Amino acid sequence: MGRLRRVIGTRPVNLVGAAGIVTNGRGEMLLLRRVGASTSGLITGLSELGEALEDTLRREALEEAGLRVGAVELLELLSPTELAQVANGDGFYSDTALFRVTEWSGTPVPDGVEIAEARFFSTHDLPPLTRLGRKAQEGRT
């Protein structure tokens, strides 16, 4: 996105990404806690140029948690309610395709760079959640 920012400066841009709800055989939901964060959420990330949303989710799952994702089901497209900003002041709106992951393999292992913790939680023992984590919980109850 560096080249794009050189052209548009800090003006808001529209970005698209993907997030995935991953559950295990016991119905527990996989949640990730980012380094330095106090809340946990779903596997999520922004799409690279020309990347299909399903492939964004597959790439992020492998990068962030070491999981190989197969089949997915699109649940909904979540649109932002407000402008987000990164530390340098760049603004963006991020639409996120929310998927249910129906086929996956591997053992969740945090990458240690972006992700500090990756583990399954029962619906009765959830940590504080991000906005996407809360959305996933609402859809499961």
Side-chain angles (χ1 to χ4, degrees), residues 1 4-5 7-15 80 82-86 88-94:
M1 189 152 63
L4 177 62
R5 283 292 176 197
V7 173
I8 66 165
T10 60
R11 288 182 290 176
V13 295
N14 294 321
L15 303 174
E82 58 188 47
L83 178 71
Q85 281 191 303
V86 292
N88 69 2
D90 291 350
F92 64 95
Y93 294 96
S94 180

Side-chain angles (χ1 to χ4, degrees), residues 51-116:
E51 185 176 47
L53 292 169
E54 295 91 343
D55 292 337
T56 298
L57 178 58
R58 289 182 181 101
R59 176 180 51 77
E60 291 291 344
L62 189 59
E63 290 174 2
E64 293 181 349
L67 295 183
R68 295 201 178 279
V69 169
V72 298
E73 172 191 353
L74 179 63
L75 299 176
E76 65 181 297
L77 182 63
L78 304 170
S79 295
T81 57
E82 58 188 47
L83 178 71
Q85 281 191 303
V86 292
N88 69 2
D90 291 350
F92 64 95
Y93 294 96
S94 180
D95 291 298
T96 303
L98 180 61
F99 292 94
R100 178 183 331 280
V101 175
T102 56
E103 181 181 279
W104 61 273
S105 64
T107 301
V109 176
D111 68 3
V113 177
E114 276 186 84
I115 307 302

Side-chain angles (χ1 to χ4, degrees), residues 23-45:
T23 55
N24 64 16
R26 293 183 299 276
E28 298 168 321
M29 185 168 50
L30 178 64
L31 295 173
L32 308 182
R33 186 177 51 78
R34 295 194 177 280
V35 171
S38 60
T39 56
S40 297
L42 305 176
I43 293 170
T44 187

